[in-house]
Amino acid sequence: MQMIYFTPGPSHLYPGYDTYLAGAMQQQLGSINHRSQAFRDIYRFTDQQLRQLMNIPQTHGIYFASSATEIWEKIILSTVEQHSFHLVNGSFSGKFYDFAKQLGKSPKEYTVPEGNGFDLKAIEIPAETELICTTQNETSTGVQIPEQELADLKDRYPDKLICTDLVSSAPYAQIDFSRMDCAFFSVQKAFGMPPGLGVWIANDHMLQKAIALKQSGISIGAHNTLVSFAGNYQQFETPSTPNVVAIYLLGKIAEDMNRIGIEQLRKTIDQKAALIYQMGDETEGYSALVRRNEHRSKTVMVLETKQSSADIIAAMKQHGMVIGSGYGKNKANQLRIANFPATSIEQVQHLLSKLPR
Ligand SMILES: *Cc1c(COP(=O)(O)O)cnc(C)c1O
């Protein structure tokens, strides 16, 4: 049976993915040299499509790593001498903080209970902070930070670098890159691709910090540093042999999203999100984990369930649909439903009609 994946990564493949993949194979992109003009043209094309889709200005470079997890590490190594500050509200934001500790830095965290968002206006960031680490969409709890609040945070702390994890919200999230130094995502979530590619967007302030750290003798790592990425980017190349096929496919999917238009894409996601939250709010036995509307993610919903979520997941498999379990200790009594562009309104309606009551 062909399944529909509502899992928040890896997720359902974007419609047309097969065709784009067949095109890549026909052009033998798995074998082309990554220092060739053919590859540089692919990189440039994907770069242009992402800029258009996510409104990324030329002040920022776009670099390709292997995963968002890798990018967490490279961000800390490249731009933090000692002090990162982390807004933590779930497993992913928590791991980012943990990476900074493991890398020998002295990070600070501000943690709220699961399912809660932040009151950013009330948070005082310590003076010594070099980099503020945020997770715009916390996939483990379905909590988002409103984009405007991130921009306001940068306005309050213009001299600190700020970065945000968009792994499960790009390209839906509307980031004002004039007030965001760095963002990143990986392709197996809302872009509907198989895993294996991380995308790192960083501006010149990030790069200058990396250069300064390196010059002062602090290790910024050896592989995929911001300095090596930016150097290679001058020629639309990468420090090591990249996932050429995935970079090509990301460009094709972003091109298709541009054809649809980002506004239309967001509208459809909003409509599907409203259906899912309405179900959670109105159906006996289900409730949305996140109470406050402005903190509710539009791309990943977490529902608390009265029945065992494993039973619900098993029942849904019989109907050809795969939904995610709760994350970590919430595995047994929560569901996570991805609301990415790859699934249609009709498919979401079908999902909701089959959830056991
Ligand atoms: C999935 C996810 C990650 C990790 O992405 P990988 O590509 O698996 O490294 C990081 N942050 C968030 C918010 C995620 O949802």
Side-chain angles (χ1 to χ4, degrees):
M1 179 165 37
Q2 277 287 313
M3 309 296 278
I4 304 169
Y5 281 87
F6 289 97
T7 41
S11 197
H12 205 69
L13 294 187
Y14 190 78
Y17 179 83
D18 304 29
T19 312
Y20 301 138
L21 181 62
M25 293 301 100
Q26 201 203 349
Q27 298 171 65
Q28 295 187 279
L29 297 185
S31 305
I32 66 166
N33 188 288
H34 62 293
R35 308 275 174 224
S36 67
Q37 194 54 42
F39 172 71
R40 289 181 212 118
D41 290 345
I42 290 170
Y43 194 149
R44 183 184 288 113
F45 178 78
T46 301
D47 177 272
Q48 281 168 352
Q49 294 301 325
L50 289 175
R51 286 183 189 283
Q52 183 184 338
L53 185 66
M54 297 174 63
N55 204 11
I56 304 167
Q58 290 296 334
T59 45
H60 292 59
I62 303 178
Y63 313 116
F64 297 113
S66 65
S67 68
T69 303
E70 182 195 353
I71 296 170
W72 282 335
E73 177 169 286
K74 300 304 154 69
I75 287 174
I76 299 290
L77 279 171
S78 286
T79 65
V80 178
E81 181 177 352
Q82 276 300 322
H83 303 288
S84 52
F85 181 84
H86 299 254
L87 295 175
V88 176
N89 61 341
S91 301
F92 291 101
S93 44
K95 271 188 207 162
F96 198 178
Y97 167 65
D98 204 49
F99 271 36
K101 277 192 292 187
Q102 290 194 40
L103 290 167
K105 311 296 180 184
S106 313
K108 289 217 167 60
E109 66 180 312
Y110 180 93
T111 302
V112 295
E114 279 180 17
N116 286 36
F118 300 99
D119 181 8
L120 283 192
K121 283 184 217 66
I123 298 174
E124 288 300 323
I125 310 250
E128 72 272 17
T129 303
E130 300 158 69
L131 173 72
I132 306 170
C133 299
T134 69
T135 302
Q136 195 275 325
N137 201 65
E138 174 50 75
T139 317
S140 66
T141 56
V143 176
Q144 66 145 357
I145 302 175
E147 295 95 320
Q148 182 61 46
E149 294 186 15
L150 289 174
D152 293 344
L153 188 64
K154 177 71 183 183
D155 285 346
R156 278 175 63 207
Y157 297 101
D159 298 334
K160 302 192 188 308
L161 295 169
I162 178 167
C163 73
T164 200
D165 179 332
L166 300 179
V167 176
S168 57
S169 58
Y172 174 86
Q174 300 189 50
I175 298 301
D176 173 0
F177 281 96
S178 72
R179 288 181 285 174
M180 181 56 70
D181 298 293
C182 166
F184 54 97
F185 62 91
S186 43
V187 298
Q188 76 275 17
K189 312 250 166 139
F191 280 91
M193 288 174 55
L197 186 68
V199 180
W200 185 5
I201 302 158
N203 70 6
D204 195 53
H205 298 297
M206 296 281 290
L207 177 60
Q208 292 309 322
K209 180 70 187 280
I211 291 170
L213 287 184
K214 193 174 177 193
Q215 280 174 351
S216 69
I218 292 163
S219 174
I220 60 169
H223 174 53
N224 282 354
T225 70
L226 195 49
V227 176
S228 66
F229 268 131
N232 282 272
Y233 183 66
Q234 302 292 321
Q235 302 80 243
F236 284 109
E237 290 183 14
T238 52
S240 60
T241 322
N243 191 336
V244 175
V245 172
I247 294 169
Y248 168 81
L249 295 170
L250 177 61
K252 298 306 280 183
I253 288 172
E255 181 186 35
D256 191 66
M257 289 176 167
N258 281 322
R259 227 172 354 238
I260 295 166
I262 189 69
E263 286 312 319
Q264 182 58 44
L265 215 74
R266 288 192 181 118
K267 219 169 106 186
T268 307
I269 287 181
D270 286 342
Q271 287 170 339
K272 294 188 296 171
L275 290 174
I276 298 168
Y277 280 121
Q278 186 186 12
M279 184 276 176
D281 288 338
E282 295 177 358
T283 310
E284 169 64 25
Y286 294 89
S287 60
L289 171 68
V290 184
R291 308 311 304 172
R292 289 181 58 172
N293 196 40
E294 71 268 28
H295 293 152
R296 285 183 169 181
S297 166
K298 295 292 172 63
T299 50
V300 180
M301 288 78 191
V302 177
L303 297 180
E304 299 194 289
T305 61
K306 221 178 225 156
Q307 300 181 48
S308 129
S309 59
D311 291 350
I312 297 174
I313 290 167
M316 294 304 282
K317 278 213 173 109
Q318 299 296 317
H319 294 295
M321 288 175 276
V322 186
I323 46 184
S325 63
Y327 204 89
K329 65 181 189 299
N330 299 311
K331 204 173 171 67
N333 55 3
Q334 289 181 1
L335 299 173
R336 287 184 309 144
I337 301 175
N339 178 27
F340 296 153
T343 54
S344 65
I345 294 185
E346 292 73 24
Q347 287 170 327
V348 168
Q349 285 167 333
H350 183 58
L351 166 87
L352 297 175
S353 74
K354 296 294 183 195
L355 277 175
R357 312 283 153 123

